[in-house]
Structures are given as C-alpha cells and as structure tokens.
Amino acid sequence: MTAYEKVAAARARHRFTSLDLMGEVFSGFIEMHGDRRFADDKAIVAGLAWLDETPVTVIGIEKGHTVKERSMRNFGSAHPEGYRKALRQMKLAEKFGRPVVCFIDTSGAYCGIGAEERGQGQAIAENLTEMMALKTPVISVIIGEGGSGGALALAVADEVWMLENSIYSVISPEGCASILWKDSTKAKEASECLKLTAEDLYGLGVIDAIIPETKELGPDLKSRLVAAIAKYGSLPRDVLCEDRYQKFRRIGAGS
C-alpha cells in the first residue's frame, strides 16, 4: 500500500474504534466522566478495566460509527476538558498503581474558538509534561489516525505501537499540501513526504512496534499488552521514568 492508501485505510468509515478494541481486549470496563473543571468531553473515553487479572486504566479517543455517534464524539477531536479528563485518570492510576493503556485515533485536537479560550494548548502541554514523569507503566497504541498534538497528548509512553494501517504525523496530508504547494489536492505527494506510515516511523525509531491487523487483532493486542505491562511493571518507579525520558530524548538523535 502507498502512504496515501494507508491514510485512506486509517480514516475508513467502517474501521474499528477505541471502544470496539476495548471490548475485545479488556473486561469489566467502567467509564469515568468529566474533568471536574468544565464538562465531560465525549471524544475521549476513560475508565477502569481488567486486563486478565490486572486492573488497568484505559483511555481512548473515540470517533464513533454512525453520523449521530460521530457528531456526539466531535469526530474524535477532543476539547481541552477531554485531555484534562484523561490526565485526571492517569494521576489516579499513578496513585493506585494501575498501568495506563491509551488508544489513539484522531485527526487532531479540536481547534475551535471555545477550545482555545479554555486552554487547548496548555491542556496538551500539561499532558506531555505529566506523562513523561508518570510513575506507572504507560502503553499507547495508535489504532487509526494519529494527528499532531491531539495524538501526542496521549502518546508519551514507555512504548508506542501502531496498527499496520494507521498513520502518525505532525499534520494532515491536506494541511501539509496546503502549506507547501498552496494546493490541498496534492495530499498524495504530501503523504509520501511526511513519513507517516507505521513502517516509516518504526524505521525512524519513533514507534516501538507494528501490530498486524489480522482477524486475531484483539487477542494479539491483549497478549502484547500483558507482556509489556509485566515488563515495565517490574521496574523501580525512578528507573521507569528515566527510561521513558531517555527514550524520547533519543528520537532524531541520529538523523
């Protein structure tokens, strides 16, 4: 598949969502609501669940399937209260020693006037800062679109994985084409330049694993999460945080 074909696959209308995968991987999910400041952003779902016998905190950016669901979820573009809700659950996970698993699928954070007035940039920056020092294992999985800071706000993790037909980029191909060539129809050319596929990013050391999208995706993802959480859960908290920090410091060092 070409880079732009991967973009189309990541955006496909009938592609599975965060809630779909949560239902396959976890059991006993209990959703938590609100950021205790402004509202409950339905673009981000967060709560408690079981991964086999391990209690975990699960956070996902949700797009929905139908037009009604997508509208309710703001098409997966979170407001600042969504990122604050996610951070609130992460801090609770840290307090009670629960690992954190994030599913990411967004074209980017919502850029409306209200979101900016309520501190969109600050909310994202605060997540980046807090996740880097979070004293509990964090695994993030990009399952569809991974757009800009809206995705990165949930992707400062001990390991970042991508499904094979997902994308992860600082900007959409259309946005890139509009800036470089003043022509959004050149999105295909921009897709090749952006190096946004799982294969590209694995080669660059930005992500840690590519997950095949087979019929056994749910069980495969579950087994990988069990192994990763066991690995990082055994580390002393200070070592866990230092390793996470150094992981991100190394990105781009050899380029």
Side-chain angles (χ1 to χ4, degrees), residues 29-104:
F29 177 65
I30 301 172
E31 186 174 357
M32 310 295 281
H33 296 276
D35 66 341
R36 291 188 175 176
R37 297 190 192 183
F38 183 76
D40 180 38
D41 184 358
K42 293 185 176 4
I44 291 186
V45 293
L48 313 177
W50 291 90
L51 180 63
D52 281 344
E53 302 300 317
T54 303
V56 296
T57 289
V58 186
I59 300 165
I61 303 178
E62 175 66 20
K63 286 184 174 179
H65 289 290
T66 67
V67 172
K68 183 178 180 180
E69 288 176 350
R70 286 178 174 247
S71 178
M72 179 186 71
R73 303 286 184 185
N74 204 34
F75 300 87
S77 292
H79 291 77
E81 48 270 21
Y83 293 113
R84 290 174 180 135
K85 172 169 68 173
L87 181 57
R88 177 185 164 216
Q89 295 306 316
M90 290 181 208
K91 297 301 287 184
L92 284 173
E94 179 183 55
K95 179 178 180 179
F96 293 105
R98 292 190 298 264
V100 176
V101 178
C102 298
F103 289 156
I104 298 164

Side-chain angles (χ1 to χ4, degrees), residues 119-178:
Q120 184 71 286
Q122 181 186 19
I124 292 172
E126 190 174 1
N127 275 31
L128 304 183
T129 302
E130 294 290 344
M131 289 185 76
M132 188 64 76
L134 203 68
K135 294 181 176 64
T136 195
V138 184
I139 307 295
S140 293
V141 188
I142 299 164
I143 67 169
E145 288 187 276
S148 193
L152 188 60
L154 296 182
V156 181
D158 300 300
E159 290 198 11
V160 179
W161 304 341
M162 288 178 68
L163 301 193
E164 63 177 334
N165 293 325
S166 62
I167 59 173
Y168 191 24
S169 174
V170 69
I171 193 172
S172 70
E174 293 81 7
C176 177
S178 296

